[in-house]
Amino acid sequence: MPNSVKFTINDRQLEAPAGTLVIEAAKRNGIEIPSFCYYEGLALQAACRMCLVEIEKAPKLMVACTTPVAEGMVVRTESEPVRQARKYMLEFLLSNHPLDCPVCDKGGECELQDMAFRYGVGESRFTEQKIHVDEKQWSPVVFYDMPRCILCFRCVRICNEGMGVNALGVINRGAVSEIAPNHGDHLECDECGMCIDICPVGALTSGTYRYKTRPWEMEHTGTICTHCSNGCKTTLGVRNDQIIRGNNRDRSGINGEFLCVKGRYGFDFQDHPDRLQSPLVRLDGKLEPVSWSKALEVVVQKFQEVKGRSGTVGVIGSNHTTNEENYYLQKFARQVLATNNIDHHRTGDVVTLVDAVSGSPAALATTRDLYEKKAILVIGADLALEQPFLSFQIRANYRHHQAHVYVVTAKPVREDNYAAAFLRAEPGAELSAVESLRDKLKGEPELVILYGDAMKGGAVRKLAAFGASLGIPVQYVPLVDYSNSRGAADMGLTPELLPGYKPLGLTGMTVAEMLAAEDLDLLWVVGANPLKNAKLQAKKAFVVVQEMFLTETAQIADVVLPAASAYEKNGTVTNVCGEVQRLQKAAQTMGAKPDLEIIGLIAKEMGVAREMGPWVPDKVFDEIRRTVRGYDIPVEAIMTGGAAQTMPVNGRIPIEVRVDSIRSAHDNLFTSGTLGRYSKMLNSVLEKRLNRE
Amino acid sequence: MTFSPELEAKFARLLTSYPPGRQRSAMVPMLLYAQDEIGSITQELVEEVARRVGVTPMQVEEVLSYYSMLHRKPLGKYHVQICTNISCLLTGGEQLWQRACGKLGIGHKEATADGQISLEEVECIGACSWAPALQVNYDFHHKVTPEQLDQLLDSLRKTH
Ligand code: SF4
Ligand code: SF4
Ligand code: SF4
Ligand code: FES
Ligand code: FES
């Protein structure tokens, strides 16, 4: 080991790199040193004194969380003085702490409770009256109960350092110290809940979860957030088919413990009272509930009729459905309905980039790269609001590795605060601003470039040429909006490309063209709402919609089939960086079915089940791995809850990208297309903000 | 926010008194000097100091609520600080404190209605050898008797 030092802990000979903290060295060797304020990845605090250990030659007990190991150091973590010290520390911490574990939200998973159980004395010499301060609500999301707070400052540090929001502080002194929000009596912040989940005790609680259940009454399912394209892993706590909590306290997956407000609290669309639970068929001009078999019969009859007379068909897929569903849908459209009129709402230009960097290896960055690479260039995107996890990764990279961050955006963004350089450029003028950074960027050892939807077509080509001319390894992240926007493009939900970006040589209609086509006979919309701000021109078109809610599109449909949400099905999705991850069914809604099953049932009724193949997620994924370029990824990684990046398609894609159909919705932290409209939590945050303005 | 030229000069000196990147170290002296000039720490001042030393207003608030000599509310023209810590307690500091409160009809960190005098019960002010001691703004009064306290308070009242 280079620069390593030898020392002993509890008489065990150990070795670790110089500079390693005693607490870390112990942990890596399976020795637990209890701690509260120490938190890996955050600034050192040494506030709680729980981690006291005995170090030979030191005149008194030392804090293991800020003391680095040294050559010949002799550490004892279980000696009598250490045990005593822990007892005293816990006695102090409990001197004002209410012993309301039976009714505390944290009971059962509280670090203080565990520590008191393991290291405490079980009785206290303090007989003074405890200080009481009433609980406060700081926002729809965040509640603070001062008496329970043990002043570890984890919340303050995760907000300042991890989120870059600086919304929390600690005020007053001594026993009356407390955590305070940035606006006197309320918070104005990202509402991410990072502070709540990092709190070791029940001092911070969330408006979503508080006092709804005991933690041990829930089942936990690790799945992928269904909102933005970043693809954070979220662990859903479910009781009686109701999702009660989202968090990622096991720090698994690409995002560790990060989740934004949408991933942590925006799951409540799932049991919104407006969820569709029965198929609807238009009878006498009105949508009426019917049985699944009746609805499928109507759909199949229509599909067959239109197919029989070679009518014009349009198929619109989704940015939220799984890869399997997208693949199966395009296969159905192309093989059964014999049409290339299939598209989805495109939110970023991936195709031009993949073509422009063809031949260069590893040109697409992973979310890990954003944390590790030496330099990052952000073009035309407000990452903190629109790509929260990517923004978190870049901030962590800056804090831990001093990465150089460059920013070219139209408006000020959070990344400016620590950028090596930031420039303002109107949409369309980004490239010349980027050009002015050439000398600085050339001096970097490596670079990752992220770009938003202002860059498309020719601009992306020029950007790739610029990257190539720097003479350093350059990777890219073409930003897209939603949980499976990348997967929709990869799986060929486009009129000009087959799955794996295989050029067709001909092209079908785009979404806009389908809506404008007066002769359209059949429109099949799966998990999208194209009519939110548009009109369907074809008056006589028969419209079939698979949806969770009666959206603008579903309202004009002839048949509406109730679809399961992403939290109610299995399958895979691909995030903005091309990382494939697995959805796991956490709950279910009576009456709704996963889109894959719905399409499968239609296939069965039409007698094409054999050629379409089984509508089982794992089976379809097998087919994807075998047939879709770039998807031959190691299954083990994703089966165990991890991520595997799709191999970039390394070859030219000789098509003209339809740049006019690329448009990001620029959803922010509190909006998320249709899902956001049906999330009470997200809406309550928005309302609160409006009321204050 | 605008300050007197003298205060601005003090600020300028403070901001260069610390190593580069440690400008936040100037926060406490800036607050103290500004408090002397303005009379209290206003929200506007919090924001101004935050901007000048490069922190968030919340971070100024943290410091402000920690130190008892920084005041959110305006104090009297004469701020009378009576020590009741150990040496003064043994020599009648507590009685002085009670007497002052009774005479002025105000309590800890309160000011008379005319804004002339305010009171604060403080910990050791470093004048134990001359206990009981008190402080009026920056001036010390040693071995204070009840009569001297009365006279002092009367004189502070009179000087309008
Ligand atoms: S919710 Fe997030 S942004 Fe708001 S105070 Fe907590 S950590 Fe900070
Ligand atoms: S609120 Fe929780 S995380 Fe914050 S200081 Fe208190 S105990 Fe620590
Ligand atoms: S950053 Fe995106 S994927 Fe992650 S929790 Fe937020 S909305 Fe979900
Ligand atoms: S963990 Fe070491 S002092 Fe808190
Ligand atoms: S105790 Fe009063 S001055 Fe020291």
Side-chain angles (χ1 to χ4, degrees), chain B residues 84-149:
Chain B
T84 57
N85 210 302
I86 189 74
S87 304
C88 300
L89 190 74
L90 292 172
T91 51
E94 179 68 26
Q95 284 81 346
L96 291 181
W97 170 248
Q98 297 296 350
R99 195 176 180 93
C101 291
K103 193 167 163 74
L104 297 174
I106 56 175
H108 180 59
K109 286 207 177 191
E110 288 176 356
T112 53
D114 60 1
Q116 187 74 3
I117 307 178
S118 52
L119 277 182
E120 184 176 358
E121 181 179 9
V122 295
E123 305 304 331
C124 179
I125 53 177
C128 307
S129 309
W130 306 283
L134 61 79
Q135 204 184 332
V136 179
N137 295 344
Y138 288 105
D139 300 329
F140 281 80
H141 296 257
H142 297 147
K143 298 194 175 170
V144 184
T145 63
E147 297 70 39
Q148 283 169 335
L149 178 72

Side-chain angles (χ1 to χ4, degrees), chain A residues 252-571:
Chain A
S252 59
I254 55 171
N255 49 307
E257 66 200 312
F258 176 83
L259 284 174
C260 78
V261 61
K262 290 191 269 190
R264 212 183 296 273
Y265 304 117
F267 53 73
D268 54 350
F269 63 83
Q270 187 261 345
D271 62 353
H272 193 284
D274 291 356
R275 271 297 290 276
L276 298 173
Q277 294 192 293
S278 161
L280 305 171
V281 170
R282 194 167 295 280
L283 300 167
D284 298 328
K286 261 189 75 196
L287 282 171
E288 302 286 358
V290 298
S291 68
W292 268 99
S293 54
K294 173 73 192 162
L296 288 170
E297 194 187 307
V298 175
V299 170
V300 167
Q301 215 173 26
K302 194 69 193 181
F303 277 20
Q304 252 149 359
E305 183 241 312
V306 174
K307 184 175 147 80
R309 62 180 162 94
S310 303
T312 311
V313 180
V315 180
I316 298 175
S318 166
N319 279 303
H320 290 287
T321 46
T322 63
N323 288 326
E324 291 76 5
E325 290 166 334
N326 295 346
Y327 178 88
Y328 207 78
L329 178 66
Q330 68 80 34
K331 187 174 173 183
F332 195 111
R334 291 188 160 114
Q335 289 186 17
V336 179
L337 299 176
T339 182
N340 280 312
N341 299 337
I342 179 161
D343 200 4
H344 70 287
H345 167 207
R346 308 180 203 194
T347 57
D349 189 354
V350 182
V351 178
T352 306
L353 178 78
V354 173
D355 181 42
V357 298
S358 90
S360 46
L364 299 185
T366 61
T367 45
R368 182 93 203 159
D369 288 321
L370 295 178
Y371 174 64
E372 286 174 345
K373 293 294 151 87
K374 303 268 184 281
I376 312 279
L377 167 61
V378 183
I379 306 173
D382 193 339
L383 296 183
L385 301 190
E386 297 180 12
Q387 309 278 344
F389 172 51
L390 305 190
S391 171
F392 180 83
Q393 287 293 80
I394 298 172
R395 269 193 305 278
N397 192 357
Y398 170 74
R399 279 189 297 126
H400 295 159
H401 313 129
Q402 295 76 49
H404 292 173
V405 179
Y406 300 90
V407 178
V408 175
T409 55
K411 296 211 177 79
V413 294
R414 195 173 298 165
E415 281 68 34
D416 293 352
N417 296 335
Y418 52 90
F422 63 87
L423 299 170
R424 295 282 94 92
E426 287 306 312
E430 292 93 351
L431 278 171
S432 51
V434 169
E435 184 59 48
S436 72
L437 292 170
R438 176 181 286 277
D439 289 341
K440 286 202 180 95
L441 296 176
K442 268 175 100 157
E444 299 290 354
E446 56 190 1
L447 180 68
V448 180
I449 303 179
L450 304 94
Y451 64 86
D453 73 329
M455 305 283 287
K456 44 194 169 188
V460 172
R461 231 168 260 289
K462 284 189 195 133
L463 180 65
F466 172 83
S469 74
L470 292 175
I472 56 170
V474 179
Q475 294 177 298
Y476 299 85
V477 180
L479 297 173
V480 291
D481 284 10
Y482 299 114
S483 58
N484 207 22
S485 286
R486 233 338 255 291
D490 288 359
M491 291 302 127
L493 289 190
T494 49
E496 68 272 21
L497 291 166
L498 294 172
Y501 301 102
K502 261 197 215 133
L504 255 169
L506 57 132
T507 173
M509 291 193 265
T510 62
V511 171
E513 287 163 349
M514 290 179 218
L515 300 187
E518 278 171 8
D519 64 340
L520 197 71
D521 296 300
L522 174 65
L523 180 67
W524 182 14
V525 183
V526 177
N529 187 15
L531 300 183
K532 180 168 181 234
N533 298 311
K535 277 224 146 19
L536 181 63
Q537 291 310 325
K539 289 286 155 299
K540 61 177 187 22
F542 190 85
V543 180
V544 177
V545 173
Q546 300 178 199
E547 246 307 346
M548 283 182 259
F549 300 101
L550 207 59
T551 59
E552 287 82 351
T553 309
Q555 279 163 27
I556 64 109
D558 296 282
V559 180
V560 182
L561 302 170
S565 76
Y567 297 145
E568 299 160 333
K569 60 189 169 194
N570 297 321

Side-chain angles (χ1 to χ4, degrees), chain A residues 142 158-159 163 165 167-168 187 189-195:
Chain A
V142 189
I158 195 71
C159 188
M163 299 307 298
V165 173
L168 297 176
L187 271 172
C189 72
D190 283 8
E191 310 281 4
C192 63
M194 292 290 282
C195 52

